[in-house]
Amino acid sequence: FFSDMDVVELPVVWRAAVAARNFEVGEEILREPPLLLLPKIRQDTPLFDSLDAIANKHHVAEKVLYPCIYYCRASEEIKSKVKEFYVPRLDEDGLQYKRYHGAVTEVAELPELKASGVPWEELLDFILILRCNVHMIGDGTKTSALFYLGSKVTHSCDPNCMALAIGIQLVYRAIRPIVKGEPITFSYISGFDLWKSTPARRELLLDQRFFTCCCLRCTREDRCRYRICPECGDQNLCRYESGQLSYMGQDPTPPTDTPWFCQNAECGKKFKDEDMDLEVEKALQYNVLENFFSTKQITSVHPELPQTMLKVCEEKLGRNHWLTLLMIYSHMAMHHTALNSGQKPLSTGKDCLVWADRLCKWMEVAMPNTMQQAVIAKFAGQTAEVYGVPELASLWFTRAIPVLRVHHGNHGKDIREMLAYIEEHGSPEQIVVASKPCRVIDMGKNVPVVSVKNSPTTNGKPSNDEGKITEAPEAGPVDPAVTKKQAKREKIKEQRKLRKGGRA
Ligand SMILES: [Zn+2]
Ligand SMILES: [Zn+2]
């Protein structure tokens, strides 16, 4: 365990972690064991039956209530630390509050939990704390956890850190240089959610995490949502978002009357929201996300739908709008899926290379130096490799490697393969960039192995032992094996993504 952060009071954001020194890309800022582990697995006991019944009655997800068990059984020391966490406030007349309130008042009265003496008000706070502060660990689905210092790191849609679960520890690594005193940030949302426009990201964060994001990306011009200028036809009409930069703002200042601004210097015209066909944009957003990027299983998509959608997005919204780029990604994924399964793709290799180029250029503007950009650059590089364009493949692989090194801790089969390709086909400058290891700190023998005793019992007696963490500092390093597993998981995830994108 170590921390190179200070926790300070900042306006609006409450308590936030700031850098205690300067950091280079790849350096670790925090490595922390969990304060409270929260397994999501349901156990076949009367207590879980009762929680399921309460959840059903009040229309709350069962998983929201399970953590109450582990909180009630935690030691007083852990409970008092949890009480220091940020608690979002819900509107007491709102539906969500009423559901949570109804559920926790019954949970607090369950005989198995009542003995712990936790009142319903405290349980409600705990559930809300989880909504804003919980981290996924382990394989990302089975266990979540609260981290005391980790929870002080605030969200940004344009973060300077990535959060990794190594074993059950939470690790923050810098993905860009950070200066002393700068707030440490990571993104609560990931994957395609980060491609979204500012209003769409804000809606998601408000719904899932109960706050209106006022990060740097949310309060400047929206670089994911370029539209076509109604005056000059330029593809770079931009919306300037409202709100002042703060790390967890709640109340953005109202937008100006004419937030749309043409970037073409010869035009420079401003527009109102009413001029911009927002209803069409909204309908397309629904269609693209629902048909191509939803987790729901869709059984049949008309074979011509993807092409039609791409064309409509391009014509109505523009070539640099995030929905157009999502459709391009979807087409590329379908192309690769067809190739991998030995079928003839609907699009040509030339189409695919043009799309790869557009995606990379868009990422360079929308999300430079991020994991999203690295994933797309790698994907584009693989496309160029398949179609025998080594200059492009080397260029894109070189762009992907530095961020992937931060994520994989310099290791990873994909990094080795791309590096070998660049060494064979790339320029001397590209070889220098791609082979430079990032400054991930090697923890060596100092990595503590954390073992946790956390099995719930049903005898109704609260036990101070539950959820307590014991450290075994004598044990050896855990990093390489875990990194390997992570790389494998990443690969499986990617394949899943490809399959999803190429469902049609
Ligand atoms: Zn934001
Ligand atoms: Zn214009």
Side-chain angles (χ1 to χ4, degrees), residues 229 231-232 262 267:
C229 175
E231 181 76 14
C232 71
C262 181
C267 171

Side-chain angles (χ1 to χ4, degrees), residues 5-40:
M5 312 186 315
D6 295 323
V7 176
V8 298
E9 305 276 336
L10 289 180
V12 189
V13 63
W14 198 54
R15 258 171 243 164
V18 298
R21 60 175 177 86
N22 294 346
F23 289 96
E24 285 180 34
V25 172
E27 279 191 286
E28 287 185 10
I29 297 163
L30 175 73
R31 191 178 269 251
E32 187 188 18
L35 175 68
L36 185 60
L37 267 183
L38 305 160
K40 282 189 178 168

